[in-house]
Amino acid sequence: MSEQRRYFVVLAGLGALVILLFLASLTVGPAGFGLRAALAGLFSRDAGAIALIMQEIRLPRALLGLTIGLTLGLSGAVLQGYLRNPLAEPGLLGVSASASLGAVIALYTGLSALFALALPILALVFAFASVVLVRFLAGGGARSLSIILAGVAVTSFAGAMTALALNLSPNPFAAMEIMFWMLGSLADRSMLQFWLAIPFMAIGWVLLLFSARALDAMMLGHDAAASLGVSPKTTERLVIWGLRQASARQPPFQVRSALSGLWCRTCCARSSERCPRGCCPQAHSAAQRCCLRQMSRCG
């Protein structure tokens, strides 16, 4: 079997597996009704118990798992392709850690109790600040090594400040609330939260997908890509801002794991030696399966 044919066979297989797991996640839960009743409740217009469970609990959970998995896969593949480093993962630039720090501050100071939107707003502000800080630390003519070091520094600082907030927490219940928020969960999510998160992730997808052709050329190196008419600075902005948009809204939903990006890239590399653009769809499927498997633990 040729390499290209094997690539499309594996891609089709992973896509079919994602669809099956998505449908399976809609039927898994403690309610205990069968597949036929679950599918009927999903499209039902009445206000019965099965319809409420399917439309208000399981469907938002499955959609969030699918979109977060897609975002993790796309972010991991693009970042690893841009940095040409198989150890890169979506949290490398400090966006997720900084967004978590902003949310922790909102919880720690009580702003989230006074103003419902304080938590997501502070998370987005800190995510934006982390991108600006990474660009400042990496310098104007930043190369991949400088961006990696700047991202690690910002991630370490945000993690240290989060640990300090936990240590200085006024009572154990506040610390427990912060810890549970940082762990992330797909349980008890509504369609409102899905519709609030999807625009930010969609903007990130578009920015990252626009960098595909430039990433193909940059596999030859920054100088070679520049000679082909690719602007390394423009590509860097697309990648960094795309990661910021895609990752800033994920911490309250996802189960954060540094291994997610590595596993996505490993699944991709085993099936194809193609460029980053060719790897992205398989990374999507791998990460989606990872997130969808978490759903069986919820309602």
Side-chain angles (χ1 to χ4, degrees):
M1 183 182 296
S2 66
E3 179 182 344
Q4 185 175 8
R5 185 177 179 183
R6 181 180 62 181
Y7 168 76
F8 285 110
V9 168
V10 173
L11 182 61
L14 291 175
L17 185 58
V18 167
I19 295 174
L20 289 176
L21 287 173
F22 178 82
L23 295 176
S25 69
L26 294 174
T27 64
V28 174
F33 44 82
L35 175 62
R36 181 175 297 179
L39 294 179
L42 185 63
F43 299 101
S44 176
R45 293 183 178 273
D46 61 21
I50 296 179
L52 288 176
I53 290 173
M54 291 301 300
Q55 298 173 13
E56 300 298 330
I57 297 177
R58 295 188 181 181
L59 182 60
R61 178 189 66 186
L63 290 174
L64 281 170
L66 188 69
T67 52
I68 290 172
L70 189 150
T71 303
L72 283 174
L74 179 60
S75 301
V78 169
L79 189 61
Q80 290 164 6
Y82 173 72
L83 298 177
R84 289 178 292 168
N85 188 330
L87 297 178
E89 49 94 14
L92 181 65
L93 298 182
V95 176
S96 296
S98 299
S100 296
L101 176 60
V104 166
I105 291 176
L107 293 171
Y108 180 82
T109 58
L111 288 175
S112 59
L114 297 175
F115 179 47
L117 295 179
L119 192 149
I121 289 175
L122 276 181
L124 290 172
V125 168
F126 273 71
F128 177 83
S130 71
V131 172
V132 175
L133 186 57
V134 167
R135 287 291 296 113
F136 174 77
L137 293 176
R143 294 302 177 94
S144 59
L145 181 59
S146 301
I147 295 175
I148 291 174
L149 293 175
V152 169
V154 172
T155 301
S156 300
F157 177 77
M161 292 297 100
T162 301
L164 179 63
L166 288 171
N167 187 50
L168 298 179
S169 179
N171 61 73
F173 297 103
M176 187 178 298
E177 183 181 8
I178 293 173
M179 285 300 300
F180 275 114
W181 189 94
M182 290 177 60
L183 286 174
S185 175
L186 295 174
D188 301 325
R189 304 300 176 181
S190 66
M191 289 302 297
L192 175 62
Q193 290 169 313
F194 170 75
W195 291 118
L196 287 175
I198 196 65
F200 295 95
M201 290 191 283
I203 293 173
W205 299 342
V206 172
L207 292 175
L208 293 176
L209 289 172
F210 271 133
S211 67
R213 291 186 178 275
L215 289 176
D216 291 348
M218 292 187 71
M219 288 297 292
L220 303 174
H222 285 71
D223 296 333
S227 67
L228 294 174
V230 173
S231 173
K233 289 186 177 181
T234 301
T235 305
E236 177 189 334
R237 293 190 188 100
L238 286 173
V239 171
I240 292 179
W241 289 105
L243 288 171
R244 181 259 174 186
Q245 283 295 121
S247 304
R249 285 291 297 167
Q250 290 184 30
F253 306 126
Q254 71 186 50
V255 179
R256 296 176 58 198
S257 172
L259 294 176
S260 61
L262 300 178
W263 188 67
C264 295
R265 185 65 174 182
T266 300
C267 292
C268 176
R270 285 182 177 179
S271 60
S272 175
E273 297 296 329
R274 294 166 64 93
C275 60
R277 181 178 56 183
C279 292
C280 284
Q282 295 182 7
H284 296 172
S285 300
Q288 287 165 358
R289 297 204 317 273
C290 183
C291 271
L292 287 169
R293 277 202 296 266
Q294 301 293 333
M295 298 175 185
S296 60
R297 303 178 184 178
C298 308

